[in-house]
Amino acid sequence: MSEIRFDGRVAVVTGAGGGLGRTYAEELARRGASVVVNDLGGATDGSGSGASSLADETVDAIKKAGGQAVANYDSVATPEGGAAIVQSAVDHFGGCDIVVNNAGILRDKTFAKLEPADLDIILDVHLRGAFFVTQPAFRLMKEKGYGRIVLTSSSSGIFGNFGQANYAAAKTGLLGLSNVLSLEGAKYDIKCNVIGPAARTRLTMGLEKDEPSEDAKRLQDPRQVTGLVCYLASEACDVTHEIFMVGWGRVARAFIGLGPSWFHEGEGFASVENVRDAMGEILSTEGFIIPKNTMEEVGPVMAKLRG
Ligand SMILES: NC(=O)c1ccc[n+]([C@@H]2O[C@H](COP(=O)([O-])OP(=O)(O)OC[C@H]3O[C@@H](n4cnc5c(N)ncnc54)[C@H](O)[C@@H]3O)[C@@H](O)[C@H]2O)c1
């Protein structure tokens, strides 16, 4: 089995001072990548910053293992921060081939209790943050004709989770971003994929009711996610525009499918009652397709019009 290597590649991993991001940065560096270890060093709710020890610890570990890395403490949540993170890759290592958008925080509250500030900060870090870091990197990737982008969504957004309306909305926004980046990047060998990870980190340990068993800890170890992320960041990766649920030793494809299409037959327009009566057929998933762009989504309509 040939080993997947990253020699000569430059990677940016955001939020790499701990948890999942640290494992990605360490594994990419162990396999030869030069890594910008970004971490703002704040609390899990996005308050505070400046704990540079977080990014520094990852960089120290990488260097101790013989790898190349540099720390960066900018926030992903501003255009200036995103530009500075990518510039750090250019200044220290001469480019940017890989971006793993991973930085994240939580502000969980039920929808009725959410304040605008709880929405703003979550959108800033997760959704705008991914824009601000990926855009300057994407421009470099286009010029070079090579790039790998990983965006971190969440089961919470993709499938829903009680008490996380702000987080879920931001995380699902990343699917939209990935859909377009994978299309726009296609002719430049830029691949963009989304992960929905599950792992025991400082973000999730606060939600635990009991201490997990040793076996459960192994299954929830962030390193269960690292293999997929490094594959998606590698030259060997030939998939794009995909969503993967990963963790607990599992990797599963998630996808947005289109049901078989119900058509209103005859004159006039579909009435409220027509729609009610057809709801069983509309909700069917039999023979679904997975459109890769809006043209494929309207494909069944075009086929119908053509008879
Ligand atoms: N752990 C899980 O089960 C799980 C599930 C779904 C999604 N996720 C996502 O995975 C990603 C990593 O989370 P984790 O579980 O490793 O948590 P973590 O708290 O260990 O790591 C997140 C890191 O991001 C950094 N960060 C926060 N805001 C930042 C900013 N503005 N700029 C730069 N860095 C910033 C934090 O300092 C922290 O080190 C997050 O996007 C999270 O939403 C995690």
Side-chain angles (χ1 to χ4, degrees), residues 25-40:
E26 289 189 2
E27 186 65 11
L28 290 167
R30 198 179 70 73
R31 290 170 180 267
S34 303
V35 184
V36 174
V37 175
N38 158 264
D39 207 295
L40 174 69

Side-chain angles (χ1 to χ4, degrees), residues 290-304:
I290 306 172
K292 281 294 186 191
N293 53 49
T294 54
M295 285 314 290
E296 287 187 18
E297 184 266 315
V298 294
V301 178
M302 296 303 156
K304 172 87 176 165

Side-chain angles (χ1 to χ4, degrees), residues 72 74-76 78-90 132-134 136-137:
N72 170 282
D74 286 299
S75 173
V76 298
T78 66
E80 299 75 26
I85 293 166
V86 174
Q87 193 57 44
S88 167
V90 173
F132 296 148
V133 177
T134 307

Side-chain angles (χ1 to χ4, degrees), residues 15 20 38-40 75-76 102 104 152 167 171 197-199 201-202 204:
L20 288 158
N38 158 264
D39 207 295
L40 174 69
S75 173
V76 298
N102 166 78
T152 305
Y167 179 79
K171 286 303 204 186
T201 66
R202 71 172 198 167
T204 51

Side-chain angles (χ1 to χ4, degrees), residues 163-202:
Q164 292 194 308
N166 53 349
Y167 179 79
K171 286 303 204 186
T172 311
L174 294 168
L175 302 188
L177 178 59
S178 178
N179 289 340
V180 175
L181 295 194
S182 46
L183 293 175
E184 290 191 7
K187 74 173 181 190
Y188 306 99
D189 193 13
I190 300 173
K191 310 247 190 289
C192 182
N193 292 284
V194 176
I195 62 158
R200 189 166 186 258
T201 66
R202 71 172 198 167

